[in-house]
Amino acid sequence: MNILPQVIFILVFAAAGYVLYKRISFLKRNIFLGKAETRNDQSSERWKTMALVAFGQQKMFKRVLPAFLHLLVYVGFIIINLEVAEFIIDGIFGQHRIFAPLLGGAYTFAMNFFELLAVGVMASCLAFLIRRNVTKVPRLTMTELKGWPALDANLILVIEIILMVAILTMNATDQLLAEKGTEHYTALGPLFFSGLIKPLFVNMSEGNLIFVERFAWWFHIIGILGFAIYVTYSKHLHIFLAFPNTWYSNLKPKGEISNMPEVTNEVNMMLGIPTEGGNEPPAEIARFGAKDINDLSWINIMNAYSCTECGRCTSECPANITGKKLSPRKIMMDVRDRAEEVGKSIDDGGKGLEDGKSLLGDYISKDEINACTSCNACVEACPVNIDPLSIILQMRRYVAMEESGSPAQWNAMFQNMETSFSPWKFAPSDRFNWAESVKDEEMK
């Protein structure tokens, strides 16, 4: 018995597993460059959010057509890849369609269903390619998507189409070989979609059919393993990160802006109120706000790696719509790019976070963060509950409190709030003078 194919398969599978492990370790380390943050409250609500938003794609259906196409790809990706389990078992043990004799007619039904999904995936990917490259949907052709992001999106769509073609080709040639009585090939019931392309191969010799079938089989399994690795370098990492990302969603009301623990602790110490660390001043003064990724929380960085680059946040952003520089999608892409840069520097023995660069300034400008109206439109629009506003507010806090670099009008407002307890330069005792003037007018 020739065990060479099994040995090759095991080596390929092990190599892919090792590369995937290294990449996942790299991503995990990058995410935890951020500060610690705990979000384990309201566990039942978090499970519900994950089920509805990540698994059920609840927020996608605010735009029905792309949501339906995305659902076909999503369901196809999950269900069709159940067949990969059979591929792995076949590859390790040198079998072919090991489950077919066990499941009988149910196996044929499953194969027909997989093929139906494969055709749905191909149709959806083709539609997405047209939307990106022919009709050019505005949010999919913006400046931040030039270069690699645009190529990445197109590559994934083309790869998925090719993988689905490989499945249909494999099934068509497999059944032709079974009809010829070739050893190791199991006859199934009629397969509708692969049956449509069988005429393309019917005149081939048995040897050529075996070559095409085996090539399609190897191409598909290696393609799936390669896809799994590629996803970790791609925006399509959201396929996996959407689930933890939605579980760790910010469940507070969208209008609630979190207090800064550093400021709260300082105020409490000044007032003699007990703090978590006691009333002793900290050994190192905490930074107010965020200048670089290590000032953000690990959840903020996970948000960045979960970004689908769909641009729904930017298309809903009133600042962007009115021509301002702000793009919430770019904010998330910049955080991810900075985390990747720092992570690679650390791995190469470089300076890491001490490389003289920072997220604010080298990646994200003050003009961008100052344009934000804090309206939460981006947070509401995101299909996987990413929160760009949290990052923007933390950077604005840094500029205001560490650099005193806010616009002059803002600084005047801050001073008025400090002295008059309102944005206007009126004494608190004069706050209701307007009401008296209105009353006087009415009495006239």
Side-chain angles (χ1 to χ4, degrees):
M1 180 179 179
N2 185 10
I3 65 168
L4 181 60
Q6 292 168 251
V7 172
I8 294 172
F9 178 84
I10 292 171
L11 290 175
V12 168
F13 191 76
Y18 176 75
V19 173
L20 195 57
Y21 167 77
K22 294 290 288 184
R23 180 61 183 171
I24 290 172
S25 299
F26 175 82
L27 294 174
K28 181 180 177 182
R29 192 275 315 281
N30 286 358
I31 289 171
F32 284 105
L33 288 170
K35 295 190 297 187
E37 181 176 359
T38 302
R39 286 188 189 173
N40 294 320
D41 59 323
Q42 306 180 60
S43 60
S44 59
E45 185 65 24
R46 294 189 180 282
W47 286 114
K48 178 182 175 183
T49 301
M50 186 177 73
L52 291 175
V53 178
F55 189 75
Q57 302 189 53
Q58 181 186 53
K59 295 174 76 173
M60 285 289 294
F61 280 88
K62 292 180 179 180
R63 304 183 186 189
V64 177
L65 179 58
F68 175 72
L69 295 174
H70 189 274
L71 182 65
L72 284 176
V73 176
Y74 172 68
V75 172
F77 174 83
I78 292 176
I79 296 180
I80 292 173
N81 281 335
L82 293 176
E83 190 181 9
V84 173
E86 184 182 49
F87 278 44
I88 294 171
I89 295 171
D90 285 349
I92 292 173
F93 295 101
Q95 300 294 316
H96 185 67
R97 294 195 184 277
I98 194 170
F99 293 138
L102 301 175
L103 299 178
Y107 188 89
T108 301
F109 175 82
M111 288 300 106
N112 273 300
F113 185 56
F114 290 166
E115 288 190 358
L116 174 63
L117 291 175
V119 172
V121 169
M122 286 193 292
S124 298
C125 289
L126 182 61
F128 285 139
L129 283 169
I130 292 171
R131 280 164 56 83
R132 284 182 173 274
N133 302 289
V134 180
T135 60
K136 295 186 181 296
V137 175
R139 65 185 170 89
L140 302 178
T141 56
M142 299 180 76
T143 305
E144 62 261 29
L145 293 186
K146 301 299 182 185
W148 166 247
L151 178 61
D152 173 37
N154 286 325
L155 272 176
I156 282 288
L157 295 172
V158 171
I159 289 169
E160 288 190 15
I161 290 173
I162 293 172
L163 288 175
M164 296 306 105
V165 169
I167 287 179
L168 297 178
T169 301
M170 180 188 71
N171 287 348
T173 51
D174 175 277
Q175 288 309 287
L176 283 171
L177 286 165
E179 290 170 10
K180 290 176 178 287
T182 306
E183 189 179 2
H184 300 306
Y185 289 91
T186 305
L188 307 175
L191 300 179
F192 179 76
F193 290 102
S194 60
L196 296 177
I197 63 172
K198 279 171 68 174
L200 297 175
F201 309 102
V202 74
N203 293 324
M204 283 186 176
S205 67
E206 184 175 296
N208 286 338
L209 282 173
I210 291 174
F211 174 81
V212 172
E213 190 276 333
R214 287 289 85 192
F215 178 84
W217 188 93
W218 278 99
F219 182 88
H220 186 75
I221 190 62
I222 291 175
I224 290 295
L225 295 174
F227 180 87
I229 295 169
Y230 175 77
V231 158
T232 64
Y233 292 88
S234 164
K235 69 165 190 159
H236 292 82
L237 187 59
H238 73 267
I239 294 170
F240 304 106
L241 283 185
F243 296 93
N245 196 75
T246 50
W247 200 91
Y248 285 106
S249 296
N250 183 1
L251 299 182
K252 294 179 181 178
K254 285 191 171 60
E256 181 178 336
I257 297 177
S258 300
N259 292 328
M260 296 176 64
E262 299 86 357
V263 175
T264 302
N265 286 339
E266 287 204 8
V267 172
N268 286 343
M269 283 192 292
M270 289 171 59
L271 298 175
I273 299 172
T275 63
E276 291 183 6
N279 281 358
E280 291 296 322
E284 184 178 347
I285 299 174
R287 174 174 283 172
F288 298 127
K291 181 182 180 183
D292 212 341
I293 54 169
N294 61 318
D295 301 318
L296 301 172
S297 80
W298 69 270
I299 293 176
N300 293 140
I301 301 176
M302 182 176 67
N303 277 184
Y305 274 108
S306 304
C307 180
T308 71
E309 297 179 14
C310 66
R312 293 183 180 217
C313 53
T314 297
S315 69
E316 298 290 336
C317 175
N320 188 274
I321 291 170
T322 54
K324 306 294 192 302
K325 288 186 67 175
L326 175 63
S327 167
R329 171 174 57 189
K330 177 183 175 294
I331 297 290
M332 304 316 299
M333 293 170 68
D334 287 339
V335 172
R336 183 182 63 208
D337 290 346
R338 176 59 178 162
E340 286 280 303
E341 179 183 51
V342 171
K344 289 174 182 175
S345 176
I346 293 172
D347 285 349
D348 294 339
K351 296 180 179 180
L353 287 161
E354 305 301 323
D355 60 356
K357 299 170 70 175
S358 63
L359 180 64
L360 180 63
D362 292 291
Y363 284 83
I364 300 170
S365 68
K366 292 180 183 178
D367 286 344
E368 291 174 80
I369 60 174
N370 288 344
C372 178
T373 66
S374 308
C375 68
N376 271 292
C378 55
V379 181
E380 177 61 30
C382 180
V384 291
N385 284 3
I386 290 169
D387 187 359
L389 179 59
S390 170
I391 295 171
I392 293 170
L393 291 179
Q394 290 180 72
M395 288 192 289
R396 281 213 302 226
R397 283 169 166 172
Y398 173 82
V399 173
M401 302 181 72
E402 294 270 356
E403 294 185 343
S404 299
S406 297
Q409 302 95 318
W410 293 20
N411 288 328
M413 178 188 68
F414 295 153
Q415 185 175 2
N416 290 337
M417 293 180 71
E418 187 176 351
T419 57
S420 304
F421 308 105
S422 74
W424 301 279
K425 199 170 186 178
F426 302 118
S429 58
D430 296 335
R431 187 168 295 169
F432 287 97
N433 286 353
W434 65 272
E436 294 296 330
S437 64
V438 171
K439 181 179 178 181
D440 291 342
E441 287 293 326
E442 289 178 349
M443 291 181 66
K444 288 180 182 180

